[in-house]
Amino acid sequence: MSRFFEGIEPLSFKPDAGDELAFRHYDADETVGGKRMEDQLRFAVAYWHSFAWPGTDPFGGQTFERPWFNDTMEGARAKADAAFDMFEILGVPYFCFHDADARPEGANFAETTRNLEEIVDVFAAKMESAKVRLLWGTANLFSHRRYMSGAATNPDPAVFAYAAATVKNCMDATHKLGGENYVLWGGREGYETLLNTDMGRELDNLGRFLSMVVDYKHKIGFKGTILIEPKPQEPTKHQYDYDVATVYGFLQRHGLENEVKLNIEQGHAILAGHSFEHELALANALGIFGSIDMNRNDYQSGWDTDQFPNNVPEVALAYYEVLKGGGFKTGGTNFDAKLRRQSLDPVDLIAGHAGAMDVCARGLKAASKMLADGALEDARAKRYAGWTEGWAKAMADSDLESIEAMVLEQEMEPQPLSGRQEILENIVNRYV
Ligand code: XUL
Ligand code: CO
């Protein structure tokens, strides 16, 4: 045990807890929707926000003081000690990491690779005795200055090569640690100004890159899911993986729609002008739902603030879509969320996650009950019931002329019916 979280005991489920650190709603063993809550929610801690982010903002530097902030292998090991302590305190089943969160950058590619391999061995040793497993690994292809103009979409082919080699090593690391998914967030895959951008070439290169990732997955026998994480802007003004619909079109163009699924983040959905549940429902409808990054944005700032979730009605509608699609398979709920920069203390990290886990538990329970009671689905089925009639089904094989003949013959006069939005909203309100 590191001393970072000294004095903080592993949390337990205590519905009537006073001010003490405990779960008031998340009971890992409670059955919700036919599964233990832990198995439904599949919580993961994000290594980067909790252990690598220094608390900077555009106006000021580091506010957090962590004993491992020194860019050495010793620091990386101390960081891992604290991280695994926190996984245990929270009792989370998963974590996620980028290469750059876990290891210091070396003097060259070979040294950077060795640093990663060494830390992967540290993780592997800890995972032998810890309960925690790897939900996903990923490569940070956006922080280092070499990636300022993109990774796979960089105008410089040497950066494309460097990024490809880095992803290969991160996939190896993920595979070695038994990761259940591998994520690609297109950190700087986009552009700042069209004036210097060859968009067609960049999109072709991104497609080529992704195809190589899929090929390598099969070559090494990685059984996890490759996930793309859409985001419309930030850091580049325009990102190519804008939203679920855009990514689906991109996957189809490259024949990868059956190979790649999506990691959908609450804050990214909002930035794209959608709701989280819209993005989840669309991914389900297209058969590409994979996993979620759970957080929330500040709705006033209009920026990706990566806060811990605390809005139960919103979270309930998100889990409603997850459950409607049959629940997580290899995916889970990754808290891509960070403390506010004034929340300096180790206890803030624990409280942020514990509160978020409780919010998700409440959302999941509400969603599961809404689904089981069927009120929304009954109303939805009724609204589309016409399509179960023979003549309506037959339109799948008809053409415009035969449909016109049918409209005339049956003397059709469609009558508008209420969409019942307010009644449905009132139903939701009974559960949240
Ligand atoms: C950035 C973001 C990333 C990805 C992983 O907005 O969400 O942390 O989740 O690279
Ligand atoms: Co994310």
Side-chain angles (χ1 to χ4, degrees), residues 310-380:
N310 76 348
N311 186 325
V312 175
E314 278 183 2
V315 168
L317 290 179
Y319 281 118
Y320 189 80
E321 296 303 328
V322 173
L323 292 179
K324 207 148 69 82
F328 292 119
K329 309 266 175 336
T330 63
T333 302
N334 171 46
F335 291 115
D336 195 349
K338 61 181 179 237
L339 294 173
R340 299 305 87 195
R341 69 196 290 269
Q342 299 176 49
S343 303
L344 299 178
D345 299 336
V347 70
D348 294 316
L349 271 176
I350 305 296
H353 284 90
M357 289 162 79
D358 268 345
V359 166
C360 291
R362 286 181 67 187
L364 176 80
K365 285 190 253 190
S368 172
K369 198 152 184 342
M370 274 196 294
L371 201 57
D373 290 354
L376 294 178
E377 293 321 301
D378 289 349
R380 202 189 313 260

Side-chain angles (χ1 to χ4, degrees), residues 246-260:
T246 309
V247 173
Y248 185 69
F250 178 81
L251 292 176
Q252 264 198 325
R253 177 173 171 230
H254 295 281
L256 296 171
E257 69 273 25
N258 298 318
E259 293 279 2
V260 177

Side-chain angles (χ1 to χ4, degrees), residues 48 98 136 142 185 229 231 265 268 293 304 336:
W48 51 102
H98 304 80
W136 45 264
F142 43 90
W185 167 55
E229 183 174 323
K231 185 174 184 180
E265 176 163 329
H268 298 180
D293 268 10
D304 190 22
D336 195 349

Side-chain angles (χ1 to χ4, degrees), residues 90-134:
L90 294 171
V92 285
Y94 292 103
F95 73 108
C96 303
F97 75 104
H98 304 80
D99 52 351
D101 315 329
R103 54 95 187 113
E105 181 91 13
N108 51 38
F109 185 83
E111 195 189 336
T112 301
T113 303
R114 278 197 302 279
N115 289 350
L116 178 66
E117 285 168 354
E118 213 175 303
I119 282 300
V120 165
D121 288 342
V122 171
F123 284 0
K126 287 178 175 294
M127 287 165 75
E128 268 178 33
S129 53
K131 149 188 168 170
V132 75
R133 286 166 289 156
L134 180 62

